[in-house]
Amino acid sequence: MRKQIAAANWKMNCTYQQAESLLDDILNNQISLRKHQQVIFAVPFPYLIMANSEVAEEENYFVAAQNCYNKPSGAYTGEVSAEMLQTIGIHHCIIGHSERREHFNESNTTLAEKVSICLENEITPIFCCGESLSVRDTGSQNDYVENQLKESLFHLSEVDIQRLVIAYEPIWAIGTGKTATTAQAQEMHAYLRSVLERKYGSLVADNMSILYGGSVKAGNAAELFACPDVDGGLVGGASLIAADFISIIKSLK
Ligand code: PGA
């Protein structure tokens, strides 16, 4: 079975003290994960080392950065490189979240560079894609998301593409409380898998985890994750409430 993943995206939330106790509250629950299940906490940069030491003893729990820069090193004040992440023991990084695309003008081309630089540094990119409401209203969401994959991922080899996790996050569902229906999520996930299959073949496509993101909650996670092509979730708001995220972890297939 391909990996089923509950990924928490804390965004720019929590003080250091809150971050520590949120992690403690979740980890103290000692949810035993099955072999194919993973939990990933994408925390703000200043908390990466602390969070990584908290999960160090836990099987199948990981910590992710929420972004990194598309250049290896140099005069880029304020940026964080993939190599820096690797050297502090971080092996996952969210790439291309819609908030970064919107507020920081990240283009598909820049994201292609970020994906490559992560892989060069043994970091698994959690690559986000997804359409806005205006795109969905015109019915062109499939083409739109396919193009995001083409422009940012299709330079990768058959081996490297499988080192990625993909997260489909319709922008109209992020932080809005408006979740995609299971039918909408399954339809897009199946479409993304077919796009991967056309380019890389069915073995590769079947092997890749595609997470759903956008108002995943304790109350809807099980239903969404039950869709055959939905391999878990990337969770914002609900990942900041220990009891809710625990319930979301327990909803993994
Ligand atoms: P949300 O955020 O769960 O708060 O909608 C998801 C995300 O942006 O990754």
Side-chain angles (χ1 to χ4, degrees), residues 163-185:
R163 297 166 63 201
L164 250 77
V165 171
I166 292 177
Y168 167 62
E169 299 204 306
I171 298 168
W172 45 271
I174 295 177
T176 58
K178 193 169 179 246
T179 320
T181 62
T182 50
Q184 285 171 324

Side-chain angles (χ1 to χ4, degrees), residues 214-245:
S215 299
V216 175
K217 306 272 178 242
N220 61 22
E223 197 189 359
L224 284 160
F225 299 172
C227 297
D229 285 293
V230 176
D231 306 309
L234 180 56
V235 188
S239 74
L240 297 169
I241 304 159
D244 288 14
F245 193 59

Side-chain angles (χ1 to χ4, degrees), residues 30-252:
Q30 303 197 309
I31 310 164
S32 59
L33 298 174
R34 288 155 67 200
K35 230 177 131 113
H36 66 275
Q37 297 174 331
Q38 292 187 347
V39 174
I40 302 174
F41 297 100
V43 307
F45 287 129
Y47 311 156
L48 284 169
I49 292 177
M50 175 275 289
N52 218 21
S53 76
E54 293 251 356
V55 304
E57 305 292 305
E58 312 283 340
E59 194 106 13
N60 291 354
Y61 283 79
F62 302 95
V63 170
Q66 298 175 8
N67 176 42
C68 69
Y69 201 49
N70 58 323
K71 300 277 187 286
S73 64
Y76 303 105
T77 302
E79 292 298 332
V80 172
S81 73
E83 185 183 41
M84 291 172 186
L85 298 175
Q86 195 233 329
T87 55
I88 59 163
I90 297 298
H91 296 290
H92 293 80
C93 184
I94 297 178
I95 296 293
H97 190 280
S98 60
E99 287 151 16
R100 300 229 36 109
R101 292 174 187 263
E102 183 188 343
H103 302 305
F104 303 93
N105 297 322
E106 294 192 354
S107 67
N108 290 343
T109 318
T110 308
L111 297 175
E113 293 171 359
K114 291 193 178 196
V115 164
S116 291
I117 212 156
C118 278
L119 292 173
E120 281 160 27
N121 286 283
E122 304 299 326
I123 291 172
T124 300
I126 303 169
F127 177 80
C128 301
C129 57
E131 80 288 354
S132 63
L133 190 57
S134 60
V135 169
R136 184 160 278 264
D137 281 345
T138 63
S140 49
Q141 66 270 15
N142 286 6
D143 289 347
Y144 185 86
V145 178
E146 176 171 357
N147 190 52
Q148 290 181 320
L149 259 58
K150 276 192 176 146
E151 294 191 356
S152 299
L153 305 184
F154 278 13
H155 63 290
L156 298 175
S157 70
E158 195 180 302
V159 171
D160 280 347
I161 188 87
Q162 295 180 75
R163 297 166 63 201
L164 250 77
V165 171
I166 292 177
Y168 167 62
E169 299 204 306
I171 298 168
W172 45 271
I174 295 177
T176 58
K178 193 169 179 246
T179 320
T181 62
T182 50
Q184 285 171 324
Q186 170 55 27
E187 191 186 9
M188 179 58 89
H189 283 232
Y191 184 71
L192 290 174
R193 211 177 291 288
S194 77
V195 170
L196 292 167
E197 181 178 344
R198 255 184 279 135
K199 169 80 178 165
Y200 294 103
S202 62
L203 278 182
V204 171
D206 283 346
N207 198 24
M208 292 193 60
S209 300
I210 307 179
L211 316 185
Y212 168 79
S215 299
V216 175
K217 306 272 178 242
N220 61 22
E223 197 189 359
L224 284 160
F225 299 172
C227 297
D229 285 293
V230 176
D231 306 309
L234 180 56
V235 188
S239 74
L240 297 169
I241 304 159
D244 288 14
F245 193 59
I246 289 165
S247 156
I248 291 168
I249 296 170
K250 289 180 174 167
S251 303
L252 288 173

